[in-house]
Amino acid sequence: VQLQASGGGLVQPGGSLRLSCVASGFTLDRPAVGWFRQAPGKELEAVSCLSTNNDITHYPDFVKGRFTISTDKAKNTIYLQMNDLKPEDTAIYYCATELGLSSSYALCHRRPRTWGQGTQVTVSS
């Protein structure tokens, strides 16, 4: 089971970015998947989670309306579309999953067992 994240970069405040995470070793039809982030000196936090068996999503309040998690099951890929980015969104972003866990809410409220390698997102003018 592996996750490979990509798509990070430097973007100006108010801009958009889409992160991708290619999954291998499992299919996106049962487990919950999610995106987490960690900024320097701050705790790891969940930003978006999705239940792949019913497409139920969970977002914390600080990204609602700005971030959207989705999957392309044909490509076995998880996406995070981030709009209206703010400097406080600067962090390393990780995709994650836990096989056997299907609830998006549960995934966002625990430390998943399987992680991608992280991709840096910097929001700055």
Side-chain angles (χ1 to χ4, degrees):
V1 176
Q2 285 191 326
L3 298 168
Q4 182 78 25
S6 63
L10 173 64
V11 62
Q12 292 187 340
S16 297
L17 208 58
R18 188 177 80 158
L19 306 182
S20 301
C21 177
V22 179
S24 59
F26 70 102
T27 54
L28 299 177
D29 58 1
R30 190 167 298 176
V33 294
W35 289 91
F36 295 70
R37 71 186 185 188
Q38 188 164 28
K42 293 192 174 181
E43 303 252 332
L44 183 73
E45 60 185 0
V47 297
S48 301
C49 294
L50 177 145
S51 301
T52 61
N53 60 351
N54 58 19
D55 290 336
I56 292 177
T57 55
H58 178 78
Y59 301 98
D61 287 344
F62 58 85
V63 304
K64 276 183 181 175
R66 300 191 299 125
F67 289 12
T68 303
I69 185 172
S70 64
T71 61
D72 182 331
K73 293 182 180 181
K75 296 181 179 180
N76 223 39
T77 300
I78 309 152
Y79 298 102
L80 182 67
Q81 178 66 44
M82 304 184 292
N83 299 326
D84 189 25
L85 283 161
K86 308 174 187 296
E88 52 264 40
D89 294 318
T90 295
I92 298 175
Y93 284 70
Y94 301 89
C95 52
T97 189
E98 185 165 321
L99 301 187
L101 184 68
S102 61
S103 165
S104 55
Y105 179 88
L107 188 74
C108 265
H109 288 83
R110 66 196 287 149
R111 189 179 181 93
R113 292 181 182 175
T114 302
W115 294 84
Q117 84 286 11
T119 184
Q120 175 71 47
V121 172
T122 302
V123 185
S124 175
S125 55

